[in-house]
Amino acid sequence: MSSVTIRDIARAANVSVATVSRTLNDKSCVTDEMRERVLSTAEKLGYVPNSAAKTLKTNSTHTIGVMVSDISNPDYISIIRTMEDIVQARQYSLMLCSTGDRQDREQDCLQMLLSRNVDGLVLNTTELNNDLVIRMSQRIPTLLINRSIRDDRFRGDLITTNSYQGIYQLTRQLVSMGHRRIYAIQGPDHLSNSQERFRAFQDAMAQEAGITVDTGEYPYLFSGAYSRQTGAEAVRRMRSFAEPPTAVLSFSNIAMLGVLHELIAAGIRIPEELTLASYDSLPDMELLAIRPLTAQFDNAAIGDRCARSLLERIEEPGLANRSFLFEPTLIFGNALGFPKG
């Protein structure tokens, strides 16, 4: 999406356009000193090469860029698999990258997708590069998954799961069984879906149990990345409580995997000593010995909606912004128990 041209680079570096072209095309006839001069100037100016434009006069690559926070997340794998089946029937292919929820890696992914001249974008963002994503959305048909950008300049669709209802229903179920010391393992504070899930937990605890959840007063809160490490660290901290929680509620399935691993290693019995609940499904849950209560979503339907919405936007770029919300279904596993004492 960069508006910087090789002429701009040549002018700033005080070299010829031909020298810039040879450098960017990695020709051997350029000296090391000149190559460094041109490349450093290009980087300072924010130049993004459009490699596809060299060969495609139509400026269309029939590729769709897909960027997610964690490609190991089984939900994203399922969504992407469905998307691929649909877009391939229209002669599109997917180009996938994963950010690890890191701002710098997301910037690299976005720049790479721009340089490949993709026809559309499906983004599960870090919400740390919103200005760049907004600028991209104004030029490239764009769709956001789960994490929103609350800015009128953004152009595109949002497809998301109902974070609020998912966490509220899980919390209400735990409260209905008598749990009051519910240990909530949250995601990063800056993410819109993390904020929504925490608000749902606060509301459910207040309305269903009469308990005020305040970050400074309620002791059973742990914040971290949506990762296995976060889940494991949360369990290690939990074991230091003088009055331990009776239930663990993870705001993500990946963190719950870390919770399970740590609990098994510690020999904590489920559900005799602790009840478990998680937002989103776990991979191959029917094969697990310990199956938490989960709020699950139809990932095939989400993937279908993602693919069809983006194809519609590619065909008609002037479409107004749209939102699609998917509702949760509670799945009861074998990790539910009543609090002791």
Side-chain angles (χ1 to χ4, degrees), residues 23-290:
T23 302
L24 295 179
N25 285 285
D26 201 26
K27 300 296 184 181
S28 59
C29 55
V30 181
T31 66
D32 291 341
E33 180 183 356
M34 188 62 70
R35 186 183 309 280
E36 175 61 27
R37 183 170 161 187
V38 170
L39 292 178
S40 63
T41 301
E43 183 177 359
K44 289 177 183 176
L45 294 177
Y47 175 73
V48 178
N50 187 344
S51 59
K54 298 176 182 177
T55 55
L56 293 177
K57 294 181 181 180
T58 61
N59 207 36
S60 173
T61 59
H62 268 77
T63 57
I64 293 170
V66 180
M67 184 187 75
V68 296
S69 57
D70 183 0
I71 192 54
S72 70
N73 189 317
D75 291 328
Y76 288 128
I77 293 172
S78 178
I79 289 169
I80 292 167
R81 184 183 298 119
T82 301
M83 286 180 57
E84 188 172 39
D85 290 341
I86 294 171
V87 302
Q88 280 187 342
R90 298 280 294 276
Q91 286 74 55
Y92 283 90
S93 59
L94 299 182
M95 184 176 297
L96 178 64
C97 59
S98 180
T99 67
D101 261 336
R102 284 173 41 189
Q103 183 177 15
D104 59 338
R105 283 179 59 177
E106 180 175 70
Q107 289 175 340
D108 291 342
C109 284
L110 293 173
Q111 296 290 356
M112 181 274 291
L113 294 173
L114 284 169
S115 72
R116 299 302 179 89
N117 200 36
V118 295
D119 295 326
L121 293 165
V122 177
L123 306 176
N124 170 238
T125 74
T126 66
E127 297 189 44
L128 297 173
N129 294 298
N130 283 357
D131 284 342
L132 176 56
V133 173
I134 287 168
R135 292 197 301 272
M136 292 170 65
S137 76
Q138 293 167 353
R139 296 277 298 277
I140 305 170
T142 300
L143 180 148
L144 302 177
I145 300 181
N146 283 339
R147 300 173 183 179
S148 62
I149 295 180
R150 300 183 181 96
D151 192 304
D152 291 340
R153 297 172 298 161
F154 173 76
R155 297 288 176 266
D157 295 334
L158 171 66
I159 294 182
T160 186
T161 57
N162 195 332
S163 289
Y164 185 91
Q165 280 301 316
I167 292 296
Y168 194 101
Q169 290 181 24
L170 289 169
T171 306
R172 181 171 58 191
Q173 178 61 39
L174 295 176
V175 169
S176 73
M177 298 178 67
H179 294 282
R180 297 297 182 269
R181 300 195 302 275
I182 301 174
Y183 190 29
I185 304 176
Q186 310 171 75
D189 294 337
H190 70 275
L191 291 177
S192 56
N193 56 355
S194 292
Q195 296 166 9
E196 191 78 354
R197 292 172 195 182
F198 181 62
R199 185 169 66 85
F201 180 65
Q202 285 181 307
D203 289 352
M205 290 294 282
Q207 296 169 20
E208 307 293 336
I211 296 173
T212 299
V213 173
D214 182 274
T215 54
E217 300 294 332
Y218 186 80
Y220 303 107
L221 294 174
F222 189 92
S223 295
Y226 285 141
S227 67
R228 291 185 184 225
Q229 182 179 354
T230 291
E233 290 174 352
V235 172
R236 288 194 285 270
R237 181 192 165 201
M238 177 190 76
R239 299 183 67 193
S240 69
F241 289 148
E243 192 173 23
T246 62
V248 170
L249 170 57
S250 174
F251 286 13
S252 84
N253 53 353
I254 300 301
M256 177 52 70
L257 292 175
V259 168
L260 287 171
H261 186 274
E262 195 70 16
L263 290 176
I264 292 170
I268 296 175
R269 295 173 301 152
I270 308 299
E272 291 83 1
E273 297 179 66
L274 196 64
T275 281
L276 302 179
S278 174
Y279 191 90
D280 276 334
S281 58
L282 301 181
D284 298 319
M285 195 162 81
E286 68 278 6
L287 303 178
L288 297 179
I290 301 173

